Amino acid sequence: MMNPRTTRAVLAAMTVTATLAVTACGAGGTGTTQSGSAGASDKTTITWDMWAGSEDDKKWVADTLAIAQEANPDIVIESQTAAWGDYFTKLTANASSGNLACVTSMNGQRLNGFYQVLSPLSDEDLKTAGIDKAAFQEGALDILTYDGKLYGIPYDVAAMMVYYNKDMLAETKTPEPKADWTFDDFVATAKGATTDKHKGFAVGMGEFQWMALPIAKAGVQPVNDKNELDLTNPDFVAAAEWYAGLVTKEKVADVVPSASEAGWGEDQYSNGNVAMAVDGTWNAKSYFTNEAGFTAGATRLPKGDKGSTGLVLGSGFGIAANCQGAQREAALKVLGALVSKKAQDLLASSGRSYPARTESQPLYFEALPEKTRADVKTAFDATFTGVVGQRSTSTWAQANEYFTPNLVSVYTGQMSMTDMLTQGQKQFAK
Amino acid sequence: MTTAPAPRKRRSALARAESLQALGFASPALVGLALFTALPVVLSIVMSTFDWPAFGERRFVGPDNYVFLLTQSPDFWPAVRNSIVFTVLYVPVNIVISLALAMLIGPRIRGRNIFRVLFFIPVVTPMVANVLVWKMLLNPQGVFNGIASSWFGVTLPTFLADPNWAMIMIVVMSVWQGSGYNMLIFSAALEQLPESVMEAARIDGAKGWTMLVRVILPMLSPSIFFAAVMTVISSLQVFVQPQMLTGGGPGNSTLPLVMFIYTTGFKFQQLGMAAAAAWILFALVILVTAFQFQVQKRWVHYEV
């Protein structure tokens, strides 16, 4: 038998606890809930997880969501975003708690680390989503394919290209690169544009920002056709050594001042500090409308003795494996709307990226300033000819984590490129 | 208890009721502590004995994670070394500088509160902003190199791309960033110095250096001890400065232990390995702190 005092105390404690519990629920978790906002209790709620850093990116997410929402009035669609740099870290945390958003955006190069938490899409699924494979650019569906299974539908296709600063080339009387230029031409251009004030080229720190030129020159990828890491392939090593030599031997590029400069080459180029840099087609719009005020140009990667191997890259949307039954049905419909012609037209006309859906692609160039349209279209057409799918291994992301801080030592000459690749191969070949 | 005398029984009934009440009121906090602190701690010990990928099959591996870290991992020992080197360099410099600052803006200075605020500003500004400013100073196109080359014709090294300089610059930036905190603690302690003791020392003829070393420092020793323990713990857990300033590079020359844990867990998706590394860090912090408490008996004076 409790005395009144104790009873009061227990009641008080229970009240406090109950209040806390209610507020905790109110704070809401991530993932998907059967009943989302008030008044929508009989509708399924689908969350779409996407990377978005800048205001423009967030606006594109909001506008795209509106298109998907309009197409699916019986589903409540919500979005959550994180900056590109944090997105995959957050995804890891969510995946480990089985809490992925039903529609999860995925980047092609990172699929090998996440395919287990996405559910493969069957032809039946594509029918539910209203997706016709033939509407997409050839090879685009390979972007989110792993081990022969389709894990997502791409929203864009991308490839690496060389961006150059027309003003700097004109000022140094260096001829502009042509679409059939060779690696000798590339070095000549970089040398010609190098003066006391600025360098002709800026090296990259991100995976393909630095690897694209060595891959193009060697004609091989650092992953063999059995999907095994192949960093020590002699052709690739030689080409990578040549690349490091742009800083150490040819002196046409500066050392990278810190391993925290993850976007070194791209930043140097967009700030108008160097004449050339390598980056993906996805940044074309921002370069051609740069704030530094220089006239931008772009062209395909140079040709080596073995042609010019370019990789087709891109991103898209997949369905989380923890998304089942009616939720999955609804998620498929949302996925279909996210890659519908209307959504792809928006992606293109906003200049956000080059769409994977063929019929939306011409709109992309219309988003550019008129005087650059023809240039960019020519560069894109050249860049996308003969691109091949990117091979990847389960340790690809880890190997790239290893490269970034070590590249600094390679560029300063404290470590040889060969050593870096040999150690990387030893550490990450499984 | 039926044999207990009546008054005690009444008191114990009251005490029981009160302790029940206390428990009732404390229960939300206790439940929170159990759920969000105790349970995760236990779970992370369990985790460290598993091959625990972020998703997919989990496998019990016993002490293998620890063995791998201590014998095979290419980055683990360098990370331990970096954390220790940072601590060994940072803590003494931080204590000396913050103590010196506290003495400089002692009670005799006019407007000392303004100085206190000035020195404290770096502590409260976001680290990201601090790092950006330091990057602008340290880069080859930055302020330091600009001044050195235009005034003296000397080209400075690329500080953050050189393995030795990078760590030194992280320490310099951290000292600039963190000294204000300990300075406040020492300032407060200096104001509390017992006037009677100081006067007695002055009458006995203590001046300058003697006064500082024989009187002031011994009386400050409890605060110095507190500051030292807290600073050692926080500097063994250094993460943001290297992450933002050098990215752990060049190579792994500035990769601290916490960044190693972060990368292992959230970038390489090996949660078990990361948990094991975290427990090794925990052991390191506990050992160092215990050692400090052992040694304090010899130099910390509480008799004031």
Side-chain angles (χ1 to χ4, degrees), chain B residues 275-286:
Chain B
W279 278 101
I280 295 175
L281 171 66
F282 172 78
L284 182 70
V285 172
I286 285 286

Side-chain angles (χ1 to χ4, degrees), chain B residues 13-287:
Chain B
L14 182 67
R16 242 207 328 261
E18 282 191 336
S19 59
L20 264 178
Q21 285 174 5
L23 200 64
F25 280 109
S27 63
L30 288 177
V31 167
L33 194 70
L35 270 180
F36 298 109
T37 306
L39 189 70
V41 165
V42 173
L43 188 67
S44 79
I45 298 179
V46 173
M47 221 176 195
S48 71
T49 61
F50 274 77
D51 171 13
W52 191 303
F55 34 84
E57 290 295 305
R58 289 160 198 167
R59 228 160 31 88
F60 179 75
V61 294
D64 285 8
N65 285 335
Y66 293 92
V67 172
F68 176 84
L69 284 174
L70 297 172
T71 58
Q72 289 178 45
S73 167
D75 286 333
F76 179 74
W77 282 113
V80 174
R81 179 202 65 205
N82 293 334
S83 283
I84 291 175
V85 165
F86 176 83
T87 306
V88 167
L89 291 174
Y90 172 73
V91 176
V93 175
N94 173 305
I95 300 272
V96 168
I97 288 190
S98 49
L99 195 54
L101 285 178
M103 299 229 174
L104 278 175
I105 56 171
R108 293 184 312 264
I109 290 204
R110 225 164 12 123
R112 66 174 192 277
N113 280 337
I114 294 170
F115 283 109
R116 274 186 196 169
V117 170
L118 278 181
F119 289 128
F120 199 69
I121 281 177
V123 180
V124 290
T125 44
M127 188 73 86
V128 178
N130 291 341
V131 170
L132 281 178
V133 171
W134 276 87
K135 263 194 186 172
M136 286 178 198
L137 297 173
L138 293 172
N139 275 356
Q141 294 94 344
V143 177
F144 289 163
N145 199 22
I147 291 174
S149 52
S150 60
W151 293 3
F152 309 107
V154 186
T155 308
L156 297 177
T158 317
F159 290 116
L160 302 179
D162 182 286
N164 304 317
W165 276 111
M167 184 53 102
I168 290 170
M169 283 306 158
I170 288 175
V171 172
V172 169
M173 189 217 126
S174 304
V175 167
W176 171 84
Q177 201 266 338
S179 293
Y181 185 80
N182 285 340
M183 179 207 70
L184 271 195
I185 292 173
F186 294 144
S187 265
L190 279 167
E191 306 225 326
Q192 301 295 320
L193 289 180
E195 202 43 52
S196 57
V197 178
M198 301 293 287
E199 202 172 342
R202 272 195 290 272
I203 291 169
D204 289 342
K207 276 203 284 287
W209 184 251
T210 320
M211 183 75 159
L212 177 71
V213 175
R214 305 257 168 202
V215 182
I216 296 181
L217 285 186
M219 282 201 290
L220 282 183
S221 58
S223 318
I224 297 176
F225 174 64
F226 169 79
V229 170
M230 298 309 277
T231 313
V232 164
I233 291 175
S234 69
S235 53
L236 281 172
Q237 299 176 354
V238 65
F239 171 72
V240 183
Q241 297 94 311
Q243 161 93 352
M244 301 286 310
L245 201 62
T246 62
N252 57 16
S253 62
T254 58
L255 175 92
L257 199 43
V258 176
M259 199 168 152
F260 172 84
I261 293 167
Y262 171 81
T263 312
T264 306
F266 293 105
K267 298 226 157 132
F268 294 3
Q269 304 177 350
Q270 301 163 326
L271 300 181
M273 194 71 77
W279 278 101
I280 295 175
L281 171 66
F282 172 78
L284 182 70
V285 172
I286 285 286
L287 282 175

Side-chain angles (χ1 to χ4, degrees), chain A residues 254-276:
Chain A
D254 274 324
V255 297
V256 180
S258 157
S260 61
E261 301 278 0
W264 173 252
E266 309 87 271
D267 292 346
Q268 288 297 297
Y269 173 76
S270 63
N271 293 335
N273 298 339
V274 294
M276 289 193 290

Side-chain angles (χ1 to χ4, degrees), chain A residues 202-256:
Chain A
V203 284
M205 291 283 276
E207 47 193 316
F208 291 109
Q209 277 85 358
W210 80 267
M211 242 184 265
L213 285 177
I215 289 172
K217 192 170 193 300
V220 290
Q221 295 187 41
V223 176
N224 67 19
D225 51 12
K226 297 190 199 71
N227 278 344
E228 294 160 338
L229 201 62
D230 194 15
L231 297 171
T232 45
N233 177 307
D235 289 346
F236 182 75
V237 171
E241 278 289 359
W242 165 87
Y243 183 78
L246 293 172
V247 182
T248 52
K249 275 204 215 65
E250 307 283 3
K251 310 274 188 215
V252 293
D254 274 324
V255 297
V256 180

